[in-house]
Amino acid sequence: MAGGKTVVTGAGGFIGGHLVDYLKKNGHEDIVAVDIKPYDEWYQVWPYAENKILDLRGKEACEESVKGAKIVYNLAADMGGMGFIENNKALCMISVLINTHMLMASREAGVERFFYASSACVYNGDKQKDVDNPGLKEEDAYPALAEDGYGWEKLFSERMCRHFMEDFGIVTRVARFHNVYGPHGTWDGGREKAPAAICRKVIHSKLSGDHNIEIWGDGHQTRSFMYIDDCVLGCKSIMESNIEYPINLGSAEMVSINQLVDIVEEIAGIKLNRKYNLNAPKGVRGRSSDNELIKKELGWEPSIPLRDGMAKTYEWIYDQIQSKVPSKA
Ligand code: NAD
């Protein structure tokens, strides 16, 4: 299934950048990498790929990106962590243009398989009010009460993938990512998610000697976090599977935000005074991935331990921060 031209959109972003490299190392020779950002803002630019800068909200740009392609991984979206999506609902919803035009262009170009990166934000908010949430099952997306803005766009686009498959015969695959983290992703600037933000804050405390850290919410809210290597493996496996409905792609290792901070403190060898900002964006109360379905379908689930993935993420963010600090010599 690796033969033929493969397009990855959002390739200048975190997951897309890793996915291009993973696909290249796993049999995909002819890869087109597309993003709206200038190349100096891409997290990773792979020289072996045909790299293109296009705004995929426009149909013509989508047509150009999929010319001659057999396989499309559509990861482009205007998104970020909770701080971004709670304050930019319209921007998040405009990403519907990307998926709509990518699906239309892919169908017209004779693309055989189309992957869509959905999110755990499609799940019904009423099912995420408990910190002991045992994990969201795929059916928990309905009755629909998705995250306002971002989640509704994802839910709508999931359904469009389904109907393009039913009505037009293009094979579509949809994965619902649960919090992905790792090196070469957003760690500052307002779009970063909790794992990177906590690493950055702990490193800042370590380097500055200011041992106070601000935590969004009361720290008891729960999540699961999937390391990037599990994510890209899961994307390709789901793409090549017979799974015709949206499926969870996330870790089932649920932790509270306080436990996540404990892990980063331990990696850094530091103990901090936690200040809880109860007015900050904090999202749902409890969320984790129920992996029964993916285990049944693929005989696999994301399993890289959070402690191991956070150590690598911490190290990468530490290097980024150090490389920005002017040398005292
Ligand atoms: P990211 O922001 O690092 O990457 C997305 C990329 O899309 C960015 O580089 C951005 O420039 C690009 N993009 C935005 N608008 C575009 C446009 N009009 N045309 C072309 N490119 C455009 O985010 P990510 O974490 O790599 O996420 C990738 C996908 O996975 C997104 O669809 C996101 O919604 C989904 N997802 C991610 C997570 C996560 O935890 N990271 C969780 C759930 C879902």
Side-chain angles (χ1 to χ4, degrees):
M1 207 173 288
K5 187 180 275 192
T6 300
V7 176
V8 177
T9 76
F14 166 47
I15 302 171
H18 285 277
L19 183 62
V20 169
D21 196 44
Y22 181 79
L23 294 175
K24 175 70 178 173
K25 287 175 176 150
N26 289 276
H28 292 248
E29 286 302 324
D30 187 2
I31 301 177
V32 179
V34 187
D35 205 287
I36 192 173
K37 296 188 294 199
Y39 292 125
D40 61 356
E41 291 178 23
W42 290 32
Y43 291 114
Q44 304 183 86
V45 183
W46 299 106
Y48 50 71
E50 187 186 344
N51 298 302
K52 293 185 174 180
I53 298 174
L54 291 168
D55 179 352
L56 297 171
R57 287 171 296 188
K59 173 117 184 301
E60 282 174 11
C62 293
E63 286 164 357
E64 189 183 331
S65 76
V66 300
K67 221 177 277 168
K70 292 271 168 267
I71 296 167
V72 171
Y73 284 87
N74 184 27
L75 274 72
D78 206 350
M79 61 88 66
M82 206 35 77
F84 179 80
I85 67 177
E86 280 198 4
N87 292 305
N88 295 279
K89 298 192 175 94
L91 278 185
C92 290
M93 293 207 84
I94 290 172
S95 294
V96 77
L97 294 175
I98 302 175
N99 204 49
T100 307
H101 289 142
M102 282 299 295
L103 275 167
M104 290 169 74
S106 296
R107 179 194 173 211
E108 285 159 20
V111 165
E112 289 168 6
R113 277 191 184 236
F114 185 100
F115 177 94
Y116 178 59
S118 186
S119 163
C121 288
V122 300
Y123 284 113
N124 184 315
D126 282 347
K127 299 187 178 174
Q128 303 172 77
K129 289 186 164 166
D130 181 0
V131 292
D132 297 321
N133 192 315
L136 292 155
K137 291 185 185 300
E138 283 73 3
E139 63 261 31
D140 290 335
Y142 296 97
L145 186 57
E147 177 83 34
D148 200 3
Y150 177 72
W152 276 102
E153 189 278 317
K154 291 289 187 194
L155 197 60
F156 176 87
S157 290
E158 280 189 357
R159 293 190 79 93
M160 198 153 45
C161 288
R162 172 175 141 190
H163 296 309
F164 265 66
M165 181 156 60
E166 289 168 353
D167 296 356
F168 302 142
I170 174 171
V171 174
T172 59
R173 296 289 179 256
V174 176
R176 291 179 180 153
F177 297 171
H178 290 245
N179 287 307
V180 190
Y181 73 98
H184 301 285
T186 313
W187 57 274
D188 68 353
R191 288 181 187 248
E192 64 277 17
K193 297 186 159 209
I198 291 169
C199 285
R200 186 198 68 231
K201 289 177 185 181
V202 171
I203 294 165
H204 173 76
S205 296
K206 206 173 156 75
L207 295 176
S208 69
D210 173 2
H211 285 190
N212 294 307
I213 182 170
E214 184 192 67
I215 312 285
W216 286 9
D218 64 7
H220 296 297
Q221 66 272 35
T222 49
R223 293 291 185 278
S224 70
F225 300 96
M226 169 170 58
Y227 190 61
I228 184 66
D229 292 2
D230 273 335
C231 178
V232 292
L233 189 162
C235 289
K236 183 165 156 66
S237 304
I238 290 168
M239 176 65 136
E240 296 178 357
S241 75
N242 294 322
I243 306 167
E244 294 193 340
Y245 39 78
I247 187 161
N248 280 335
L249 180 57
S251 165
E253 184 186 350
M254 190 173 81
V255 290
S256 69
I257 295 300
N258 275 331
Q259 287 170 321
L260 183 63
V261 178
D262 292 343
I263 289 173
V264 182
E265 283 183 342
E266 187 259 314
I267 292 167
I270 197 170
K271 270 280 166 210
L272 301 172
N273 305 316
R274 301 179 188 184
K275 311 269 179 213
Y276 295 96
N277 180 352
L278 303 181
N279 298 317
K282 40 198 173 287
V284 295
R285 195 72 185 132
R287 173 183 290 168
S288 181
S289 180
D290 181 293
N291 285 347
E292 287 313 306
L293 198 54
I294 196 166
K295 283 194 281 187
K296 186 171 139 246
E297 292 282 4
L298 299 180
W300 171 87
E301 66 176 316
S303 59
I304 296 171
L306 183 58
R307 169 69 178 73
D308 296 357
M310 286 303 287
K312 292 182 184 160
T313 308
Y314 178 92
E315 197 181 320
W316 181 79
I317 295 174
Y318 191 92
D319 288 346
Q320 301 307 299
I321 292 175
Q322 282 292 59
S323 67
K324 282 188 172 182
V325 177
S327 163
K328 286 191 183 130

